[in-house]
Amino acid sequence: MSVVDAANRIQTVAMAPVQSDFRQSLVLPILLAALAFNFALCFVNTNVMGVGASMVMLVEVVLVGCAFLLVADRSQALYFVLLGIFSYVGALMLFRGVIDPKILRDLMIPVVFYSLGLKRGNLALGDRAVTWSILIVLGAALFEWMFLDTFLKYFDVIGYYVSRGSVDAAASTGESGLFISGTRFEGRTLLPFLGEHRVSSVFLEPVSVGNFGAVAFAWVLSRDFHRPAALIPKTLAIMTILVLGDARFGMYLCGITLALYLVAPLVRPGVIFVAPFLAIIALITYAAVKGNIAWDNTIFGRFLLAGQLINTLDLGEAMGLVYTSTDFNDSGYAYALSQLGVLGFTAIWAVFVFIRVPDGQPRRFTLFVAFYIILLLCISVSFATIKTAALLWFLAGICARSPEAMAQDVRRKDFADRLKRQNAGLEHFRVSPNRENDPCLCFSAFSSREPVSTSLENALNLADAT
């Protein structure tokens, strides 16, 4: 074999995508299951048997547990982080005298799926996860929009939430079958002529539709900006999802994302670190200025409610030392402070903000994640719902991989693209029955099977053996 042939064989072995093991192949199904399992359980509740809160929690535990097992042998730091969280939160619960495991669940999901992206993810897998998620959400959204009666026949959304105990049966109308916020009675913001119906797709409630749309748009814009053939159809699909769901907040986040990406090189970690505390001060000030004015269902009305809820916390409650029974579902900051205290919230936020990420696309998306959390905490606690959080934190974990791993992802993708172009150019060759004269054998290095990643020495041995 000539030196050139050996060099080509070495490059093929070294640069081709790494053959996935069994555990690697489970990552995408876990992410898609986290996205749509409530949709499946709603179908079961409507057509097969009742689904209670215990079954929903069991499915979440299984999904988080599976994700944890995929990285359990790859990250010692994960154990230290979880130990620190459980120890601190457990101590606060004992001090308050009330055990509430919800905050542990809300912290486990970001930590585990961030680790999953960091240790098992790569850019290509992130692209596939986002693309498949867009297709699934768009398909369910169009089905709900065009065939609402049929959709409700098989997916009684409000009945599912009543069955699992998330909604009081007396508070639901019981007629439409949609979630409470599935109808915008005061009129749509996005394309009002479409009517009052807001699609919920696989999420079953419109809030998560907006959150998902913002996350998907941020990833697509960052990854496909220089590939219009991918950027345009994906963006149109995302905008369709947001419009059908009348997701005002999600649409605003998409606009903010464009601005963030423009200034990303100028934003320092210190600015990101202080941003949530400035947001808390702004909410408190806004509520104080407005006084006892009743809030409404506009974006500023939601800010007003969030500020009023933060103002209900006294010093002990804000430090996480005194229990409060107030419902903080409309103020993520009030919820975080009451459960973690100022010190705990500050420490967890600092760990995320000061993790080093490579420049370019990873830094831009990480900046989006930071401001997504900052803004979402102003109006809700949905930052930790597994329906959207699993994908978000998985993508964030991918962006935290080392620059060398990122560069390898890019080189593998470029090499795979070259292989596809070269293989496409060979399609006009007819396979010869005489294998000794078969011209396709000249291109055996470019077979359709992905070679196993190996060392340089093994590649040389493979070339010599040939």
Side-chain angles (χ1 to χ4, degrees), residues 40-107:
L41 290 181
C42 180
F43 178 84
V44 171
N45 183 77
T46 305
N47 302 279
V48 182
M49 63 179 186
V51 174
S54 58
M55 183 178 295
V56 178
M57 289 188 290
L58 176 62
V59 174
E60 283 200 14
V61 169
V62 169
L63 290 173
V64 176
C66 289
F68 175 80
L69 290 176
L70 292 182
V71 296
D73 62 340
R74 290 199 168 197
S75 176
Q76 293 182 348
L78 174 61
Y79 292 95
F80 289 105
V81 172
L82 292 178
L83 178 62
I85 290 175
F86 275 77
S87 299
Y88 175 77
V89 174
L92 286 181
M93 289 182 183
L94 291 176
F95 195 89
R96 290 194 296 259
V98 177
I99 305 298
D100 182 7
K102 182 179 183 300
I103 184 61
L104 292 175
R105 169 259 189 195
D106 291 343
L107 294 175

Side-chain angles (χ1 to χ4, degrees), residues 41-196:
L41 290 181
C42 180
F43 178 84
V44 171
N45 183 77
T46 305
N47 302 279
V48 182
M49 63 179 186
V51 174
S54 58
M55 183 178 295
V56 178
M57 289 188 290
L58 176 62
V59 174
E60 283 200 14
V61 169
V62 169
L63 290 173
V64 176
C66 289
F68 175 80
L69 290 176
L70 292 182
V71 296
D73 62 340
R74 290 199 168 197
S75 176
Q76 293 182 348
L78 174 61
Y79 292 95
F80 289 105
V81 172
L82 292 178
L83 178 62
I85 290 175
F86 275 77
S87 299
Y88 175 77
V89 174
L92 286 181
M93 289 182 183
L94 291 176
F95 195 89
R96 290 194 296 259
V98 177
I99 305 298
D100 182 7
K102 182 179 183 300
I103 184 61
L104 292 175
R105 169 259 189 195
D106 291 343
L107 294 175
M108 276 280 290
I109 290 173
V111 171
V112 171
F113 282 95
Y114 187 93
S115 299
L116 185 65
L118 182 64
K119 299 299 181 181
R120 289 283 182 183
N122 56 60
L123 293 174
L125 183 55
D127 291 339
R128 290 199 300 273
V130 171
T131 301
W132 275 107
S133 298
I134 291 173
L135 292 174
I136 291 171
V137 174
L138 178 63
L142 291 175
F143 172 57
E144 178 186 349
W145 178 259
M146 293 186 294
F147 308 102
L148 180 58
D149 291 339
T150 303
F151 177 86
L152 294 177
K153 177 182 177 181
Y154 294 102
F155 299 94
D156 180 9
V157 178
I158 193 64
Y160 169 67
Y161 278 101
V162 169
S163 178
R164 56 180 277 183
S166 302
V167 173
D168 186 358
S172 64
T173 61
E175 294 183 1
S176 69
L178 294 171
F179 191 66
I180 297 172
S181 58
T183 302
R184 183 86 77 183
F185 295 104
E186 68 273 22
R188 276 177 161 268
T189 301
L190 306 176
L191 302 184
F193 64 85
L194 293 178
E196 298 177 343

Side-chain angles (χ1 to χ4, degrees), residues 31 33-39 56 60 63-64 102-110 113 160-161 164 166 202-212 215 329 335 372-373 376-377 380-394:
L31 293 173
L35 182 86
F37 80 90
N38 276 286
F39 194 59
V56 178
E60 283 200 14
L63 290 173
V64 176
K102 182 179 183 300
I103 184 61
L104 292 175
R105 169 259 189 195
D106 291 343
L107 294 175
M108 276 280 290
I109 290 173
F113 282 95
Y160 169 67
Y161 278 101
R164 56 180 277 183
S166 302
V202 297
F203 306 110
L204 305 182
E205 38 83 19
V207 173
S208 292
V209 172
N211 296 344
F212 167 79
V215 172
N329 284 333
Y335 170 74
Y372 170 86
I373 298 300
L376 201 59
L377 285 173
S380 75
V381 296
S382 59
F383 69 95
T385 178
I386 195 171
K387 292 182 286 187
T388 53
L391 179 63
L392 170 73
W393 291 107
F394 174 76

Side-chain angles (χ1 to χ4, degrees), residues 186-430:
E186 68 273 22
R188 276 177 161 268
T189 301
L190 306 176
L191 302 184
F193 64 85
L194 293 178
E196 298 177 343
H197 175 210
R198 304 173 65 197
V199 300
S200 304
S201 188
V202 297
F203 306 110
L204 305 182
E205 38 83 19
V207 173
S208 292
V209 172
N211 296 344
F212 167 79
V215 172
F217 177 76
W219 182 265
V220 168
L221 180 64
S222 180
R223 290 283 294 147
D224 298 324
F225 182 77
H226 297 291
R227 295 182 292 176
L231 176 65
I232 294 174
K234 290 180 183 179
T235 301
L236 289 176
I238 293 168
M239 292 301 109
T240 300
I241 293 169
L242 291 175
V243 170
L244 291 180
D246 195 32
R248 302 173 300 187
F249 188 72
M251 194 67 77
Y252 297 152
L253 278 174
C254 291
I256 293 172
T257 300
L258 289 170
L260 282 176
Y261 281 5
L262 291 175
V263 301
L266 305 177
V267 180
R268 302 292 90 187
V271 175
I272 303 174
F273 176 73
V274 301
F277 303 101
L278 295 178
I280 292 173
I281 294 172
L283 291 172
I284 293 174
T285 304
Y286 183 64
V289 170
K290 289 293 184 178
N292 295 323
I293 297 178
W295 66 279
D296 55 26
N297 197 29
T298 63
I299 189 65
F300 288 102
R302 300 291 299 279
F303 288 155
L304 174 60
L305 175 60
Q308 291 172 343
L309 289 173
I310 297 174
N311 283 332
T312 64
L313 296 173
D314 59 29
L315 180 60
E317 293 169 343
M319 295 299 294
L321 302 176
V322 177
Y323 172 75
T324 174
S325 59
T326 305
D327 183 1
F328 291 125
N329 284 333
D330 291 303
S331 178
Y333 285 117
Y335 170 74
L337 293 177
S338 65
Q339 294 294 324
L340 299 173
V342 174
L343 296 180
F345 176 78
T346 302
I348 292 175
W349 182 246
V351 169
F352 169 68
V353 168
F354 292 106
I355 291 177
R356 297 182 61 182
V357 298
D359 292 329
Q361 181 264 332
R363 181 175 294 277
R364 289 194 297 271
F365 187 79
T366 302
L367 180 64
F368 159 78
V369 174
F371 278 89
Y372 170 86
I373 298 300
I374 291 168
L375 293 174
L376 201 59
L377 285 173
C378 291
I379 60 174
S380 75
V381 296
S382 59
F383 69 95
T385 178
I386 195 171
K387 292 182 286 187
T388 53
L391 179 63
L392 170 73
W393 291 107
F394 174 76
L395 298 175
I398 291 176
C399 291
R401 298 168 72 231
S402 67
E404 293 78 12
M406 288 287 189
Q408 185 70 0
D409 286 348
V410 174
R411 289 195 297 269
R412 283 173 177 159
K413 184 181 185 306
D414 291 342
F415 185 71
D417 290 342
R418 291 202 302 272
L419 287 182
K420 290 178 181 178
R421 291 194 296 269
Q422 292 172 358
N423 284 332
L426 298 178
E427 290 180 355
H428 68 278
F429 283 102
R430 186 184 302 273

